[in-house]
Amino acid sequence: MKTKVQWRRQIVFLLIVAAVGWGLYAGFREQPVAVEFGEAVRAPLRVTVEQEGRTRVVDRYVLAAPVDGYARRITLDVGDAVAAGDTLVALEASRSAVLDARRHAEAGERAAAAQANLAAVEQRVKAAEAGAALAAKELERMRKLRASGHVAAEAVDRAAAEDERAGSELRSARFTVATARHELEAARTALGFAAAGGKGEPVLVRAPVAGQVLKIPRKSEGAVESGQPLVEIGDARALEVEVDVLSADAVRIRPGTRVLFERWGGDGALEGRVRVVEPAGFTKVSALGVEEQRVWVIADFASPSGTWQRLGDGYRVEASFVLWEGEDVLQVPASALFRDGDGWAAFVVEEGRAVRRRIDTGQRTGLVAEVLAGLKEGERVVVHPDDRLRDGVEVSGR
């Protein structure tokens, strides 16, 4: 018969053997790989191109000296409001310049060209008026159809944006007519001074349209040459946004593309529409010293004018061009995907193990990717898979 001491010794020995055995098993068995998990979820998805842009006045006018002469001191300041016909600069014509026969002939040609230009832009106003009237009728018709439930709200929004665009074109055309009339008046004034031999009252450079003073190159009096800029004015209530984007992104943007203007200083994002993607690119050196081919994209505001009137000329905005968007899209973190031949794959977590699975993807952003096939909502995937992972490896969350 074994004594109690012998039983105790035997039990202790068995416990030690069991502990050593378990330690050896735990030490030599393959440990789970610590990974970070992501999940396939359904949520809105928006694919955008984001770049910094700046506002600019749509219709701006640089008033230049019509003849060589002596400009009196400009009393206006930047930001001052001016009405159409207000005198901005008084210019005393130079006798030696206006008595020159060649300059006299040139002044006559400029007056004739200004007359022809005025006739051409007046035709543009007629065309813009017809377009604005048509857009207003279309908007009214869409609103009636929307009230009866025959069209979607998006159709009304498009008609409203088109009405706003047509109105902007009409205002721009009328501004161009006023500018052309001012140029004709300036050309006739120069011609009259040439005929008068420099005798008479000073040339008064007047504002062709109502607006605000945007820039004054030089306020002090002094001699000026014909064509030298004196004052720059424009309607600060009519703004557009210019954005330079990479040429590779510009090919995906087309007129009518929706734009969101964010981080502009006010509450919420402003809506806009691309008006034109300029056909010519230019080279720009980035902050890293890399030459890039970029393209100017011009967009108009589609939000009510009262929401963005606090913006001025040359203000910074963040423009997001919406290339594609969906409301209920199955998506996973883009960092969970890796190349699998000519397609994509991911490690899906099944019963604590990583299982390699082929994934069909659709739209992508820098952070997430749309899943067309291969995953179900709620399934977990391994984010940032490394070379330790292979099919069937046990994984654990970090």
Side-chain angles (χ1 to χ4, degrees), residues 274-297:
V274 173
R275 186 173 78 249
V276 63
V277 179
E278 294 191 355
F282 61 94
T283 302
K284 180 180 180 180
V285 180
S286 69
L288 299 177
V290 179
E291 287 190 356
E292 300 174 338
Q293 288 302 117
R294 306 187 76 87
V295 177
W296 285 111
V297 178

Side-chain angles (χ1 to χ4, degrees), residues 115-134:
Q115 180 68 49
N117 181 59
L118 176 59
V121 296
E122 285 176 342
Q123 297 301 315
R124 284 183 52 194
V125 170
K126 293 181 179 179
E129 288 175 344
L134 178 62

Side-chain angles (χ1 to χ4, degrees), residues 248-271:
D249 293 329
V251 298
R252 300 191 291 165
I253 302 172
R254 52 179 52 90
T257 297
R258 182 180 173 219
V259 192
L260 296 176
F261 301 113
E262 301 173 310
R263 293 182 287 278
W264 57 279
D267 297 331
L270 299 174
E271 291 271 351

Side-chain angles (χ1 to χ4, degrees), residues 8-292:
R8 289 175 181 173
R9 289 177 179 175
Q10 191 172 11
I11 292 172
V12 171
F13 176 76
L14 292 175
L15 289 176
I16 293 174
V17 171
V20 172
W22 173 256
L24 293 173
Y25 170 77
F28 285 100
R29 73 182 288 268
E30 187 175 10
Q31 298 296 321
V33 178
V35 296
E36 181 180 349
F37 295 139
E39 187 175 345
V41 298
R42 287 194 172 274
L45 178 61
R46 178 182 294 160
V47 180
T48 62
V49 171
E50 298 182 359
Q51 287 291 341
E52 181 179 317
R54 65 175 183 176
T55 60
R56 70 180 186 186
V57 173
V58 177
D59 299 310
R60 58 201 310 137
Y61 187 68
V62 179
L63 298 169
V67 294
D68 294 349
Y70 192 87
R72 296 175 182 173
R73 179 176 177 80
I74 300 175
T75 58
L76 295 170
D77 292 319
V78 174
D80 287 350
V82 296
D86 285 355
T87 299
L88 304 182
V89 185
L91 183 64
E92 299 175 358
S94 172
R95 179 179 296 271
S96 60
V98 298
L99 287 178
D100 186 87
R102 179 178 60 83
R103 294 178 181 271
H104 182 275
E106 290 176 351
E109 294 297 329
R110 283 197 296 269
Q115 180 68 49
N117 181 59
L118 176 59
V121 296
E122 285 176 342
Q123 297 301 315
R124 284 183 52 194
V125 170
K126 293 181 179 179
E129 288 175 344
L134 178 62
K137 291 180 180 178
E138 180 69 10
L139 176 59
E140 182 180 359
R141 187 172 69 88
M142 286 296 174
R143 284 173 175 169
K144 291 180 179 179
L145 292 174
R146 175 57 181 167
S148 58
H150 288 86
V151 297
E154 184 180 357
V156 180
D157 294 338
R158 286 198 299 266
E162 178 63 20
D163 180 65
E164 182 73 19
R165 185 195 63 78
S168 298
E169 288 186 356
L170 178 58
R171 290 191 296 270
S172 180
R174 287 173 176 169
F175 184 96
T176 305
V177 168
T179 299
R181 286 175 179 164
H182 174 80
E183 291 175 347
L184 176 60
E185 180 184 352
R188 287 175 174 171
T189 300
L191 180 61
F193 265 74
K199 301 175 182 179
E201 297 296 325
V203 176
L204 300 180
V205 180
R206 302 180 185 273
V209 294
Q212 286 182 292
V213 178
L214 303 178
K215 186 178 180 181
I216 302 176
R218 189 185 70 179
K219 289 176 64 70
S220 301
E221 64 179 19
V224 295
E225 298 180 353
S226 176
Q228 180 175 334
L230 301 176
V231 180
E232 185 174 339
I233 65 172
D235 184 3
R237 298 172 300 174
L239 295 176
E240 61 186 7
V241 180
E242 57 177 5
V243 187
D244 63 317
V245 302
L246 290 171
S247 58
D249 293 329
V251 298
R252 300 191 291 165
I253 302 172
R254 52 179 52 90
T257 297
R258 182 180 173 219
V259 192
L260 296 176
F261 301 113
E262 301 173 310
R263 293 182 287 278
W264 57 279
D267 297 331
L270 299 174
E271 291 271 351
R273 294 284 177 182
V274 173
R275 186 173 78 249
V276 63
V277 179
E278 294 191 355
F282 61 94
T283 302
K284 180 180 180 180
V285 180
S286 69
L288 299 177
V290 179
E291 287 190 356
E292 300 174 338

